[in-house]
Amino acid sequence: MISISLLLTTVLTVCVVAKQCTNLTVPVSILARNGVFNVPALQGNADATTFAQNLTSIRGNFTEAALLDYATVSGNYEISAKFCKPDIENGTNPTVQVLTHGLGFDKTYVDVAVDHYGFCTLSIDRLGEGNSSKADPLSVLQAPAEMSAIYELTMMLRNGTLPTVPQAFDKVVHVGHSFGSALSYLLTVMYPAASDGLILTGFSQNGSYLPSTVASWDSKLARLNQPLRFGNVSCSAISGALSILGASASNVSEVINVLSKYSITLGEIQQVLQTTDLGDLIAGVEPTQLPHAADLPSGYLTWADAGSSQFAFLLPNFFDPNILQFAESSKFPYTL
């Protein structure tokens, strides 16, 4: 029988970690000084490979060579966000943390499931990613413009003007992961008073690892890599393309059932789905809560497959192999 003291402890613990969350769509006006680059439009995956080769070449600085000038960009966009407020806050003047994700995913992986410390959080889909507004991947979606959107959200939190959040915060801490850390760092360089603290993860000022990371991605046009999620084709078109397997391919389970007829194990089938483009081709066939960012322009790129993701992000022998297929089916593009 559960003791009264244990029951009370459990109840009190639940009270401490409980939170209330609201999904928001926040209008922002950005203003940034972006680079003007001489980079031709990518027409296919071969162009994406050429871009990566140029970017990682040891024969020169491709970014510097392609930079023609600078230009001021401005515009009105919408940022998808999730605001969470704990039932028990850390004092009468609580701190809010702005959570900014890295390349290749959306805000869902930085969501805080529980909060033992009473912080409010605002997790965001970066400009151009997830459910936030899309923009030109070359001329607009650069670090200064993305940082401008974060600055606008920060000012709303400080001024008490964030939609549906009638509260002004005196203390705003910026938490980033990977490229989200770089953007948070840039924010404090440009606007030192905007942040009361930085928490930077997956971040280093030593960029010597970047060429090998970019090369390992084997970047593809997102609209071609996962056409159902990022292109402009239908489920029926994908089903037709897979009909050679002998099934309508209305869902992943049917594909697995067909493959199982060829004297291979379920584990081998999973390896096929995880390590070939087939897994990306059928991503989005099954019903999902993931947003379908249909018909993205060719400047939106993604890594080739689960193997590329593993090489870039996962430490050998320290991850669950099942995460590979999930991460591949839920990834989001990055831009030039």
Side-chain angles (χ1 to χ4, degrees), residues 93-96 157-158 168-172 196:
N93 186 19
T95 298
V96 62
L157 288 168
R158 290 197 179 278
F169 294 89
D170 289 338
K171 291 186 178 181
V172 182
D196 294 286

Side-chain angles (χ1 to χ4, degrees), residues 73-102:
V73 297
S74 60
N76 299 318
Y77 299 95
E78 292 183 337
I79 298 297
S80 176
K82 184 177 183 180
F83 179 81
C84 293
K85 180 177 182 179
D87 287 343
I88 300 178
E89 298 179 332
N90 55 357
T92 57
N93 186 19
T95 298
V96 62
Q97 296 181 340
V98 179
L99 314 179
T100 305
H101 63 87

Side-chain angles (χ1 to χ4, degrees), residues 295-316:
D295 207 15
L296 292 178
S298 61
Y300 278 84
L301 306 176
T302 186
W303 51 77
D305 54 28
S308 300
S309 175
Q310 176 186 343
F311 187 95
F313 301 121
L314 301 177
L315 183 66

